[in-house]
Amino acid sequence: MEYVTAVPHPRDPAAGPARAGRRSLGVALLCGALGAAVALLATRQEWAEGTAIVAGGAFPLTAKGSDVTGVPAALAIVGLAALVAVFAVRRAGRFAVAGLLALSGAGTVAAALAGASDSSALDDQAAKAAGDTSATVDVLSHTAWPYVAAVGGGLLLLAGLLALRYGRLWPAMSGRYERDGTPRRRPQTVNPDRPEDLWKAIDRGEDPTGA
């Protein structure tokens, strides 16, 4: 006859944080990579359009995000590099890189929102088209791409916040192949005429035929 006990099985106290670390890692990687890609893509699209009066006629003008401001694209690249660097450092270094990632996202959002109402790029084009430095663009309008770039920056910001909160639980790059300053041992001389030397070299992980 089998007995059923009401005593719950003991839970591993480290299971909860480990699970949270894995989930946050996946979300951060997805948000960081997607955010950088969205921000970079948005800066290559048209952000503003308008017309300039040239010789009594209307001359159409357009400006891409990179013409309006180069800050979102630059910060997106910095954020993507910081996302990769998070796994190459530990402890305080990881916290600092995670902060850089969050700041890159916040800066991308701020720059994109500022560019959503900027007209300086089209004003410069209008001045060149009209041959008058005081000429400005008329009938100015903006597209939705600056806000798309802001969404990308928001994803980078979220990745940075997750790195700040859960980064200590994430794995780091292995230091197996890092140089620790210890002098390397020179391979011992192997006499090919002595079978015991060949077997010893193989046991040490050396190639006895390399010489």
Side-chain angles (χ1 to χ4, degrees), residues 158-184:
L158 177 59
L161 294 177
L162 288 173
L164 287 172
R165 175 63 179 84
Y166 298 101
R168 58 185 178 82
L169 303 175
W170 294 354
M173 290 183 180
S174 175
R176 178 180 179 182
Y177 301 103
E178 295 178 358
R179 295 288 301 275
D180 57 358
T182 304
R184 296 182 177 180

Side-chain angles (χ1 to χ4, degrees), residues 33-165:
L34 182 61
V38 168
L40 289 173
L41 175 64
T43 57
R44 298 180 181 181
Q45 311 303 318
E46 290 186 3
W47 281 27
E49 55 187 8
T51 57
I53 304 302
V54 180
F59 186 77
L61 301 172
T62 60
K64 294 182 179 181
S66 56
D67 299 328
V68 176
T69 174
V71 175
L75 289 180
I77 295 175
V78 171
L80 188 60
L83 180 65
V84 177
V86 165
F87 302 97
V89 293
R90 297 178 176 86
R91 299 183 180 86
R94 173 167 293 186
F95 186 82
V97 174
L100 177 61
L101 174 58
L103 290 176
S104 299
T108 301
V109 173
L113 294 179
S117 59
D118 187 272
S119 63
S120 59
L122 288 182
D123 287 339
D124 293 340
Q125 294 185 22
K128 293 179 181 179
D132 184 1
T133 56
S134 61
T136 57
V137 65
D138 296 327
V139 196
L140 176 65
S141 63
H142 291 82
T143 66
W145 284 108
Y147 302 101
V148 175
V151 171
L155 292 175
L156 283 171
L157 174 60
L158 177 59
L161 294 177
L162 288 173
L164 287 172
R165 175 63 179 84

